Amino acid sequence: STGSIESSLAAEGILKYGGNAFDAAIGAVFVSMSSEFALTGAFGGGVLLGMENNSAPFIYDFFVDCPYAYNSNNEFTNIEVDFGSTTQLFNIGKGSIAVPGNIMGLLQVHKNHGCLPLPDVLKEAIDCANSGITISSYQSYILELIKPIISHDQSSKNLFYKNNKLIKEGDVFKNPAFGDFLQLLTKNGSDYFYKGDGLETILKFLNRRSNLNKTDFLDYKVFKRNPISLEFNDHTIYTNPSPSHGGTLIIFLLKLLKNSSLNHIEIFDLIKGMYLSSKVRNEICINPDAENEIENVLNKETFKKYLHLFNQSGTLDFSSEINGFGSTTHVSILDKKGNAASITTTNGEGCGYIIPEYGIMMNNMLGEYDLNPFGFHKWKIKRRLPTMVSPIIITKNSKPEFVLGSGGSNRIRSANIQVILNLLINKMNLEDSVAAPRIHLEGDTLFYEPGIKIPNQKIKDIILNAFDNKNLFFGGVNAVSKKSAVGDNRRGGYGIIS
């Protein structure tokens, strides 16, 4: 299950050709860099949660780093995007670019866990870049949303405009420069772009208007980590650990529900859990240079304090609003050998410029509100940014039962949690679990889709923002099990059983 039909078909083809779940997932991600150009990219970041032959899960963390130093000459510009039901601010420009990790991480996963040669894995991605992708209605909607970003510079207009008009549904999007980039990648590996001649092209493009320098690329590392986990209703939930904030906060909220005095979970309980998760994050995470600070939300005394707050009855007071759209996409693959791959990748919304030689827009992670909770350009040491990216594998009897994850910035954790509860508590099937209406609490605003009944009598000082239809704002959970593959239609997802 992926974010587009092209990516899912590419994954299916790789599996049929003899590849495993890791080959299929990596091939799908590279196709998505064309079919979901606005959501992910080669110079963004991501995380893979995997299981090999039903063995213990592992994490590959290739999310973005903040640079070593701040450049006072960096370009940093804010723009506004209108969702119809809400508007949100974004920051773009070369000063918004963080140190990327996608290509290094994806190729390292392939080297360690794939079974097909890399050219076979990337063949469909190269073909899609060269031959083109027909723009879907969903991708057309996304491009229209981020029009202020992709019209920021002529380099982007050259790629996304035809006859002075933004490409739309039914148009064919071609990016032969990206096809050439992928050919270089298959020939030279990722080191070419972190240590070799490819890096010189990137640095020339940055033109000293970013915060990145050569050392940032030379020192970038992919980290293999142990996932964080929780036993929950006869299953084990695995997800992304610290320094990610998303995975730890998902476990924190689910642990509140598990250890509470509730007989059953209602909407108000979920709202309360979301509220306390944000509250504990704000209380614990106070030092921008303490990379693993988020782990402390699960300390015995801290958790005991918040469990007590959760079990108290009464109304809730709410804090101020936080921004963040979340141009992110997710791939879930499960194969017959017990290999499972759950990969979430992102490019932010993109920095607004295309590297012409590569056909790639670099990320704007240093301009993402949720990744920079202390303010922009406030770091003092090089560190991973505190992503909400949280791929998930749920096992039963030590075998993968559900593989899932979502795009959506701060909505990643709320989307994932609601699907998990639908599966494990409400006993819904996978399709219904993903399709069910969602809520999301963002500061003092509660967003919700049609079909949700809000318990107004228990909530005060909150802004209610009702959406008329299901919306990409609430994430895009792409999920698979042994019998089902479901793509979230909120974000154009597509599932295939083969």
Side-chain angles (χ1 to χ4, degrees):
S1 177
T2 78
S4 71
I5 185 172
E6 294 85 1
S7 294
S8 289
L9 288 171
E12 181 187 35
I14 290 169
L15 289 172
K16 286 185 174 180
Y17 191 69
N20 63 18
F22 301 101
D23 294 316
I26 291 160
V29 170
F30 277 106
V31 168
S32 73
M33 293 174 186
S34 292
S35 64
E36 299 178 85
F37 187 99
L39 302 182
T40 189
F43 292 148
V47 175
L48 173 137
L49 171 60
M51 290 181 69
E52 195 169 47
N53 300 325
N54 298 312
S55 60
F58 50 81
I59 286 278
Y60 279 84
D61 175 356
F62 44 95
F63 200 66
V64 300
D65 281 349
C66 64
Y68 276 115
Y70 172 73
N71 172 19
S72 60
N73 194 42
N74 78 80
E75 180 205 8
F76 198 71
T77 305
N78 65 65
I79 56 97
E80 187 174 76
V81 168
D82 186 356
F83 286 86
S85 296
T86 184
T87 60
Q88 294 190 342
L89 290 174
F90 302 98
N91 297 284
I92 62 171
K94 294 179 181 179
S96 70
I97 303 170
V99 188
N102 268 346
I103 58 171
M104 184 184 287
L106 292 168
L107 263 62
Q108 191 165 318
V109 171
H110 172 262
K111 178 182 178 182
N112 294 343
H113 303 281
C115 61
L116 292 181
L118 186 62
D120 291 338
V121 172
L122 297 190
K123 182 182 183 301
E124 188 62 27
I126 294 170
D127 288 347
C128 286
N130 291 329
S131 301
I133 295 284
T134 301
I135 299 294
S136 67
S137 60
Y138 168 71
Q139 289 301 321
S140 179
Y141 173 58
I142 291 287
L143 290 173
E144 190 65 41
L145 275 182
I146 64 167
K147 188 176 180 179
I149 298 173
I150 56 181
S151 62
H152 177 71
D153 182 71
Q154 189 60 45
S155 63
S156 298
K157 288 183 177 180
N158 291 341
L159 197 57
F160 291 105
Y161 279 69
K162 184 185 293 185
N163 299 323
N164 294 319
K165 291 185 178 180
L166 180 66
I167 56 176
K168 62 184 186 305
E169 182 181 0
D171 288 337
V172 176
F173 170 63
K174 295 183 180 181
N175 192 356
F178 183 57
D180 294 342
F181 167 85
L182 292 175
Q183 292 281 15
L184 282 172
L185 191 62
T186 59
K187 180 181 178 182
N188 300 310
S190 60
D191 277 359
Y192 180 78
F193 301 98
Y194 285 86
K195 299 177 182 179
D197 291 344
L199 176 56
E200 298 306 318
T201 300
I202 297 169
L203 295 175
K204 180 182 177 183
F205 156 78
L206 295 174
N207 194 28
R208 299 180 182 177
R209 296 302 308 279
S210 78
N211 299 292
L212 278 61
N213 60 46
K214 192 170 188 176
T215 306
D216 292 312
F217 287 86
L218 293 174
D219 288 353
Y220 182 84
K221 290 181 174 61
V222 175
F223 294 105
K224 191 174 183 182
R225 309 185 193 277
N226 293 318
I228 190 171
S229 64
L230 177 70
E231 299 297 320
F232 192 85
N233 208 17
D234 298 324
H235 292 75
T236 306
I237 300 167
Y238 294 93
T239 189
N240 193 18
S242 169
S244 159
H245 284 193
T248 303
L249 291 174
I250 285 173
I251 295 299
F252 174 84
L253 197 160
L254 291 173
K255 192 174 179 182
L256 283 181
L257 296 174
K258 175 183 176 179
N259 290 279
S260 72
S261 55
L262 297 173
N263 293 319
H264 59 277
I265 299 167
E266 309 233 358
I267 285 292
F268 177 70
D269 305 312
L270 187 53
I271 295 170
K272 184 188 284 190
M274 290 178 175
Y275 164 73
L276 292 176
S277 296
S278 295
K279 186 178 177 67
V280 71
R281 180 193 185 195
N282 292 338
E283 177 186 327
I284 295 299
C285 297
I286 57 176
N287 181 357
D289 298 324
E291 190 175 57
N292 295 305
E293 203 171 31
I294 190 66
E295 292 176 348
N296 295 327
V297 305
L298 294 171
N299 284 354
K300 184 176 180 180
E301 288 305 312
T302 300
F303 183 77
K304 182 179 178 182
K305 168 186 169 181
Y306 278 86
L307 180 61
H308 175 71
L309 291 173
F310 185 83
N311 285 328
Q312 284 183 331
S313 59
T315 58
L316 300 178
D317 296 307
F318 293 89
S319 58
S320 60
E321 183 180 358
I322 302 171
N323 273 302
F325 158 49
S327 291
T328 315
T329 191
H330 183 83
V331 170
S332 295
I333 311 281
L334 181 62
D335 70 24
K336 62 184 179 182
K337 295 179 181 178
N339 297 307
S342 183
I343 309 182
T344 311
T345 60
T346 180
N347 204 37
E349 293 76 35
C351 69
Y353 294 89
I354 299 291
I355 303 177
E357 294 89 342
Y358 299 152
I360 293 170
M361 182 180 290
M362 297 187 78
N363 68 80
N364 68 326
M365 305 296 197
L366 296 184
E368 286 272 338
Y369 285 90
D370 203 54
L371 302 185
N372 299 272
F374 303 100
F376 300 112
H377 305 137
K378 296 294 186 182
W379 71 90
K380 294 179 183 177
I381 61 168
K382 183 180 177 68
R383 58 160 291 180
R384 280 288 197 271
L385 288 182
T387 178
M388 286 295 162
V389 166
S390 47
I392 289 167
I393 295 176
I394 302 174
T395 66
K396 188 168 187 178
N397 300 324
S398 300
K399 294 184 178 181
E401 184 152 330
F402 301 106
V403 182
L404 63 119
S406 178
S409 187
N410 206 22
R411 269 88 67 207
I412 289 174
R413 72 177 195 258
S414 60
N416 282 338
I417 284 168
Q418 287 169 88
V419 171
I420 290 169
L421 293 177
N422 287 338
L423 287 169
L424 303 187
I425 299 295
N426 299 329
K427 303 299 182 182
M428 296 164 66
N429 63 38
L430 193 62
E431 184 174 2
D432 291 343
S433 294
V434 172
R438 296 180 192 146
I439 65 170
H440 176 73
L441 181 65
E442 191 92 15
D444 61 354
T445 304
L446 181 66
F447 301 92
Y448 59 99
E449 293 181 316
I452 297 289
K453 294 181 179 179
I454 302 301
N456 299 68
Q457 70 279 7
K458 294 185 178 181
I459 301 172
K460 66 177 182 177
D461 299 329
I462 191 171
I463 300 167
L464 296 177
N465 191 322
F467 278 64
D468 294 331
N469 299 290
K470 292 178 183 177
N471 192 278
L472 64 93
F473 178 86
F474 294 88
V477 178
N478 298 320
V480 297
S481 66
K482 290 182 179 179
K483 296 181 179 180
S484 300
V486 179
D488 198 328
N489 59 19
R490 293 173 179 84
R491 290 189 171 226
Y494 194 86
I496 293 177
I497 301 171
S498 178

